[in-house]
Amino acid sequence: NAYVGDNRASYASNSPPTITLSAGKLFPFRSPGKRFQVVQYPVTYRCDLGVGQLTRYWGYAIAAAQPTPPAGGSSALLATNITDCSFSYATGGASGRTGVVALILQVEQSGEKVRLFQQAHVSNVP
């Protein structure tokens, strides 16, 4: 998890093809796939059904416990007339190292509705 505790390291440079860490780092857990993620900043998608809006937030500080909406950074209104919205994540596989992210979004205007559903497979996650 790139957002929690000692599982992060700062980098001094990222000139391709090399990423140089600011200081030597021993991560708390071994990566079975010998992989890591580079995270610049978190991104939040927030559905506010009270006002019927979907908003994207980015550029705020990484925190283990994230407030919603996050403080600081930037935001952009993505959609209005939202009447239903859900994001979910489910782990799968024998080892739990895969998952599926699902999004349901319903837009309603002038008595007409459209319900959107999308799933994405997430591989190599604990």
Side-chain angles (χ1 to χ4, degrees):
N1 186 338
Y3 304 109
V4 178
D6 195 35
N7 207 23
R8 293 195 308 244
S10 298
Y11 62 90
S13 73
N14 62 350
S15 300
T18 303
I19 295 174
T20 305
L21 298 180
S22 298
K25 175 71 177 171
L26 179 61
F27 290 97
F29 302 105
R30 187 176 156 268
S31 171
K34 311 274 191 274
R35 297 180 183 187
F36 65 95
Q37 287 82 34
V38 176
V39 178
Q40 184 177 9
Y41 50 78
V43 174
T44 295
Y45 291 91
R46 178 180 185 227
C47 287
D48 186 342
L49 297 178
V51 294
Q53 295 180 337
L54 174 63
T55 306
R56 181 182 191 262
Y57 298 88
W58 72 95
Y60 52 90
I62 294 173
Q66 175 186 323
T68 302
S74 301
S75 66
L77 179 62
L78 300 180
T80 58
N81 301 312
I82 304 298
T83 57
D84 191 13
C85 179
S86 69
F87 296 87
S88 64
Y89 177 76
T91 59
S95 65
R97 295 196 55 82
T98 62
V100 175
V101 175
L103 162 68
I104 296 173
L105 187 66
Q106 182 171 292
V107 182
E108 184 174 352
Q109 186 174 13
S110 302
E112 295 186 14
K113 295 180 189 178
V114 63
R115 189 170 181 88
L116 308 168
F117 176 74
Q118 180 68 44
Q119 287 183 316
H121 179 264
V122 181
S123 61
N124 196 32
V125 289

